[in-house]
Amino acid sequence: PLLLALLVSYIAQGTLILFLYELLQHTPPELDDLRQDCRGGNPWLRNMSCAIFASLCVKDLLETKDMHLWLRMFDHASSHEMLELCRFVDTGLTNGRLELGLPTNETDDSSLDGTIIVQPTSGITRLERACFYIFVIAGKCLLGFAMLFVGTGLVLRSAGDYQVMMNSVAAVFVL
């Protein structure tokens, strides 16, 4: 069920991205909402909308990087194991302070004391890891880069201020 929902989501996003790409490549002359150049409307609004949309795309790609880092926390296992997490409360944080590059003497700021650390104690198989990378991380990354390319083009080629706002909302919806 989860894989099916993921595939349906990817198909829907990919279809909308392809539709927007075709619309940008072959803009019908009767369509007044898109221009062949980037000169319609207020340039400040257009540039700000494009920058905000691009930052949302970069945020989405950074979330994908975080998913990769999360996946690397799991050890390899020879067979499927139930997910087990261990919760630690680090009271001294001497080792943690050294890893973070913070001073370790007693007069330091103790705002990190009592930090809760959750770490997996179970592992995942190579097949499970490959499926995560192929179906989740690679798909999310591919769609994120495609939407960055198509969405910024959609926002930049909008004919007026109203179209800039509408196309920005549409691009964020697809993202």
Side-chain angles (χ1 to χ4, degrees):
L2 288 177
L3 185 60
L4 180 65
L6 182 68
L7 289 176
V8 167
S9 172
Y10 283 168
I11 290 170
Q13 276 184 299
T15 303
L16 289 172
I17 289 171
L18 284 175
F19 173 75
L20 292 175
Y21 178 75
E22 286 296 318
L23 186 64
L24 287 172
Q25 292 298 314
H26 309 290
T27 304
E30 67 272 3
L31 187 64
D32 296 348
D33 293 342
L34 292 175
R35 298 174 52 100
Q36 293 301 323
D37 57 8
C38 300
R39 296 188 180 159
N42 185 347
W44 186 86
L45 177 64
R46 176 185 321 284
N47 291 334
M48 287 302 294
S49 296
C50 188
I52 290 169
F53 176 72
S55 68
L56 287 173
C57 287
V58 169
K59 178 184 169 278
D60 185 60
L61 291 170
L62 288 174
E63 287 175 2
T64 307
K65 183 194 87 137
D66 290 341
M67 292 167 69
H68 158 71
L69 294 176
W70 175 80
L71 192 56
R72 287 187 52 199
M73 287 183 3
F74 290 92
D75 290 330
H76 291 287
S78 58
S79 63
H80 177 73
E81 299 176 355
M82 290 292 293
L83 176 64
E84 291 182 22
L85 300 173
C86 191
R87 186 176 183 177
F88 304 99
V89 177
D90 198 348
T91 56
L93 268 180
T94 303
N95 293 334
R97 288 179 187 266
L98 289 174
E99 289 175 11
L100 295 173
L102 299 173
T104 57
N105 59 12
E106 296 298 323
T107 60
D108 293 340
D109 177 27
S110 61
S111 62
L112 293 177
D113 289 345
T115 300
I116 297 173
I117 300 169
V118 178
Q119 196 165 13
T121 56
S122 58
I124 58 176
T125 65
R126 293 187 193 279
L127 177 64
E128 291 169 336
R129 188 178 305 271
C131 287
F132 276 123
Y133 273 109
I134 291 169
F135 291 116
V136 179
I137 294 177
K140 190 171 178 342
C141 196
L142 179 70
L143 288 173
F145 277 117
M147 196 58 216
L148 177 64
F149 176 73
V150 172
T152 52
L154 183 71
V155 172
L156 285 175
R157 290 186 45 202
S158 299
D161 294 344
Y162 180 73
Q163 285 82 10
V164 167
M165 297 304 293
M166 293 301 289
N167 289 340
S168 297
V169 170
V172 169
F173 172 75
V174 174
L175 181 65

